[in-house]
C-alpha cells in the first residue's frame, strides 16, 4: 500500500507541476499558507518558524521573574542540545544536592569548588547551570585553599557555598533536585493553522512557502533536475535497494506537510503537520473537527487508496510536502444517522463553519 501511495502521489505531483507551469505563465499564485508557525508553551504566542528559538529564549528569560529555579532548569534542558551531556550534567548536579540533603551537618558538602575538574567538564560548560545554583540558594565566595595559611602564597579559590538559611529548607532543595531530573526541553508546539474551505475545484492545487522544505527552492529544483536526468539514464539498471534508498532520501527532504481532507459534501479541512507524524494524528485532527466525533470514517489517499495503517508516517505514505485526501463515512452508520435526522447538516463543528473561507 505504501508503494502504491507513493507512486500515486508522484503522479499527482507531476500533474500539479503542469498546473504550476500554467500558473507561472498567468502569474504567481498566492501561497496556500503564509508559512509554518509554532505556539510558545510559556506565552501562548504564535510565532513563525524562523522566530521560534528567539521567542523561546526571551520567554524563558522573562520567566526568571516568576520562578528562577524553573527558568534555570528550562535553560539547562532547552538550550544545551547534546542530550547526553545534559544527562551527565543534571545527574552530577543532583548528587551535589543529594549529599547536602542526606548530610546537612557536613560542611564539606555545602561547598562546591568551581575549578573542580568534574564541575568544569560536566556542569560549568553548560548554559543555565550557574543560574540554577544561584536560584536554589548558593552564593559565590572566594575562600582560601584548605590546609594553607594566609601567607602561603597560594591564591584563594572560587566556590559555590550554600547559604546558611537553606539548611532549614532542605525539602525545597529536594524538590528542586527532583524537578531538575524530571524536566524536559521546552518545545514550541506546531500550529496546525486549521482552516475550512468551501467546495472548490482548486482543492488539489498547493502553493507552499519555503518554510515547508528542508532545502531552498533553488536546491529543490536542481535536485529534481538531476534526479530526472539520472532516472532517464539508468532507470533499467537501478536495483530495488537503490530505489528504496532514493525514496528514503526523498522523504527526509521535507520537514512539514500541508494536508487537506475533502468531505463528501465538498467542504475541505486543512492543517499543517510534521512530515514524520503518523497517520493517526490526521485521524484525530479530523475527529476533533466533527460535530459528532464518534462517527466512523476512513481516509483515502491519492488514487482512493485507504490509509489503513495509522502507524505509518506521512512521508512514508508519499503525503509530503502536500496532499489532498478524501473522507468516506461508514455507509451503514450514515444511513441510520440520515434516517434519524430531521434535517441535513454539515458534519463539521459550527464554530469552524462560521469562519469558512473560499479557496483561492
Amino acid at each position: 500500500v505504501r508503494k502504491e501511495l507513493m507512486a500515486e502521489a508522484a503522479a499527482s505531483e507531476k500533474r500539479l507541476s503542469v498546473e504550476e507551469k500554467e500558473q507561472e505563465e498567468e502569474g504567481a499564485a498566492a501561497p496556500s499558507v503564509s508559512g509554518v508557525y509554532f505556539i510558545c508553551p510559556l506565552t501562548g504566542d504564535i510565532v513563525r518558524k524562523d522566530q521560534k528559538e528567539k521567542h523561546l529564549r526571551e520567554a524563558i528569560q522573562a520567566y526568571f521573574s516568576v520562578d528562577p529555579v524553573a527558568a534555570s532548569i528550562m535553560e539547562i534542558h532547552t538550550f544545551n542540545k547534546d542530550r547526553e551531556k545534559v544527562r551527565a550534567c543534571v545527574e552530577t548536579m543532583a548528587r551535589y544536592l543529594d549529599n547536602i540533603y542526606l548530610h546537612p551537618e557536613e560542611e564539606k558538602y555545602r561547598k562546591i569548588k568551581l575549578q573542580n575538574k568534574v564541575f568544569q567538564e560536566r556542569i560549568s560548560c553548560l548554559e543555565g547551570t550557574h543560574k540554577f545554583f544561584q536560584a536554589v540558594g548558593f552564593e559565590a565566595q572566594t575562600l582560601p585553599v584548605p590546609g594553607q595559611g594566609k601567607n602561603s602564597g597560594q591564591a584563594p579559590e572560587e566556590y559555590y557555598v550554600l547559604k546558611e538559611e537553606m539548611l532549614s529548607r532542605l525539602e525545597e532543595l529536594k524538590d528542586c533536585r527532583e524537578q531538575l531530573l524530571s524536566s524536559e526541553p521546552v518545545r514550541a508546539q506546531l500550529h496546525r493553522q486549521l482552516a475550512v474551505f468551501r467546495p472548490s475545484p482548486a482543492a488539489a492545487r498547493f502553493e507552499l512557502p519555503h518554510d515547508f522544505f528542508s532545502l531552498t527552492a533553488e536546491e529543490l529544483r536542481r535536485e529534481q533536475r538531476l534526479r530526472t536526468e539520472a532516472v532517464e539514464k539508468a532507470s533499467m539498471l537501478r536495483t530495488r535497494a537503490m530505489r528504496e534508498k532514493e525514496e528514503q532520501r526523498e522523504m527526509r527532504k521535507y520537514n512539514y506537510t500541508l494536508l487537506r481532507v475533502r468531505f463528501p459534501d465538498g467542504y475541505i479541512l486543512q492543517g499543517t503537520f510534521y512530515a514524520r507524524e503518523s497517520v493517526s494524528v490526521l485521524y484525530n485532527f479530523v475527529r476533533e473537527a466533527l460535530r459528532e466525533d464518534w462517527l466512523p470514517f476512513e481516509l483515502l489517499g491519492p488514487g482512493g487508496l485507504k490509509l489503513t495503517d495509522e502507524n505509518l508516517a506521512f512521508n512514508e505514505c508519499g503525503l509530503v510536502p502536500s496532499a489532498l485526501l478524501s473522507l468516506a463515512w461508514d455507509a451503514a452508520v450514515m444511513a441510520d444517522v440520515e434516517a434519524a435526522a430531521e434535517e441535513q447538516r454539515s458534519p463539521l463543528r459550527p464554530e469552524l463553519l462560521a469562519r469558512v473561507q473560499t479557496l483561492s
Side-chain angles (χ1 to χ4, degrees):
V1 171
R2 172 183 159 190
K3 294 292 184 183
E4 292 176 16
L5 280 167
M6 294 192 70
E8 183 62 32
S12 175
E13 186 176 340
K14 186 175 181 181
R15 289 194 298 272
L16 285 175
S17 66
V18 174
E19 294 177 359
E20 289 167 359
K21 188 174 180 181
E22 293 172 353
Q23 290 172 9
E24 286 180 5
E25 294 172 356
E26 297 172 0
S32 302
V33 286
S34 60
V36 174
Y37 291 83
F38 290 83
I39 304 170
C40 175
L42 295 178
T43 65
D45 292 341
I46 298 172
V47 295
R48 190 157 179 151
K49 184 178 74 170
D50 57 4
Q51 293 295 312
K52 178 182 64 171
E53 296 301 323
K54 178 175 180 289
H55 184 89
L56 270 179
R57 183 173 288 276
E58 291 174 350
I60 291 175
Q61 291 298 325
Y63 203 74
F64 272 95
S65 63
V66 178
D67 187 338
V69 174
S72 63
I73 291 173
M74 290 179 199
E75 280 198 351
I76 293 169
H77 284 278
T78 305
F79 299 147
N80 300 294
K81 302 304 181 183
D82 189 323
R83 302 310 304 161
E84 184 57 32
K85 285 186 177 180
V86 170
R87 184 194 62 77
C89 169
V90 299
E91 287 180 355
T92 305
M93 293 170 72
R95 280 198 293 273
Y96 283 129
L97 301 185
D98 259 341
N99 287 333
I100 295 171
Y101 181 79
L102 296 173
H103 310 284
E105 72 286 351
E106 294 281 351
E107 184 182 354
K108 64 179 180 180
Y109 290 129
R110 304 201 298 269
K111 293 191 298 185
I112 302 171
K113 184 179 176 182
L114 300 192
Q115 293 306 311
N116 176 278
K117 184 179 179 182
V118 171
F119 188 88
Q120 285 291 313
E121 292 181 353
R122 294 190 182 182
I123 297 175
S124 187
C125 56
L126 270 66
E127 188 170 351
T129 53
H130 290 276
K131 293 179 183 178
F132 174 81
F133 281 111
Q134 294 161 13
V136 299
F138 285 85
E139 59 182 356
Q141 292 186 18
T142 302
L143 301 175
V145 178
Q148 300 290 334
K150 291 183 179 179
N151 300 320
S152 66
Q154 190 166 349
E157 295 180 324
E158 295 291 326
Y159 287 82
Y160 275 142
V161 180
L162 188 69
K163 296 176 184 176
E164 197 73 24
E165 65 199 58
M166 292 304 299
L167 292 177
S168 61
R169 297 159 57 186
L170 291 176
E171 289 302 322
E172 289 182 28
L173 211 59
K174 184 180 178 182
D175 291 341
C176 293
R177 172 196 177 278
E178 297 303 321
Q179 189 178 351
L180 177 66
L181 288 172
S182 62
S183 291
E184 296 287 336
V186 179
R187 292 190 175 94
Q189 179 185 356
L190 180 65
H191 185 35
R192 297 296 184 200
Q193 300 185 75
L194 185 153
V196 177
F197 299 103
R198 297 180 180 86
S200 170
R205 181 176 298 163
F206 293 86
E207 291 291 334
L208 299 178
H210 292 165
D211 286 3
F212 274 74
F213 306 97
S214 300
L215 304 178
T216 65
E218 183 177 344
E219 288 170 332
L220 278 172
R221 285 193 291 269
R222 180 175 177 274
E223 275 280 311
Q224 179 64 45
R225 186 180 69 253
L226 294 175
R227 187 168 61 252
T228 301
E229 292 173 357
V231 168
E232 290 173 351
K233 291 178 182 178
S235 59
M236 298 303 294
L237 301 177
R238 288 161 63 219
T239 66
R240 178 180 177 182
M242 290 170 64
R243 288 195 300 272
E244 290 181 351
K245 185 176 180 181
E246 183 175 303
E247 287 173 2
Q248 292 294 326
R249 188 167 60 248
E250 185 72 12
M251 289 178 194
R252 289 193 295 269
K253 194 179 296 180
Y254 307 109
N255 287 330
Y256 310 96
T257 184
L258 185 66
L259 300 178
R260 290 173 181 162
V261 177
R262 181 156 50 194
F263 284 71
D265 61 4
Y267 276 77
I268 302 156
L269 182 68
Q270 176 178 286
T272 301
F273 301 85
Y274 285 110
R276 293 168 182 80
E277 286 188 273
S278 66
V279 170
S280 64
V281 173
L282 180 60
Y283 270 92
N284 290 335
F285 176 74
V286 173
R287 197 168 287 113
E288 290 171 0
L290 297 178
R291 188 192 300 263
E292 306 286 352
D293 61 6
W294 59 267
L295 289 173
F297 63 88
E298 291 181 322
L299 295 178
L300 311 178
L305 291 170
K306 295 180 181 179
L307 297 177
T308 54
D309 188 348
E310 295 188 28
N311 293 318
L312 283 177
F314 296 128
N315 58 1
E316 293 178 308
C317 301
L319 302 178
V320 292
S322 59
L324 172 65
L325 303 96
S326 299
L327 181 143
W329 301 112
D330 181 286
V333 173
M334 287 308 296
D336 292 340
V337 171
E338 291 171 0
E342 296 180 2
E343 60 178 343
Q344 294 293 324
R345 59 182 185 176
S346 172
L348 291 167
R349 298 205 318 262
E351 59 267 32
L352 297 182
L353 292 172
R355 59 179 204 237
V356 66
Q357 306 173 48
T358 298
L359 194 59
S360 59

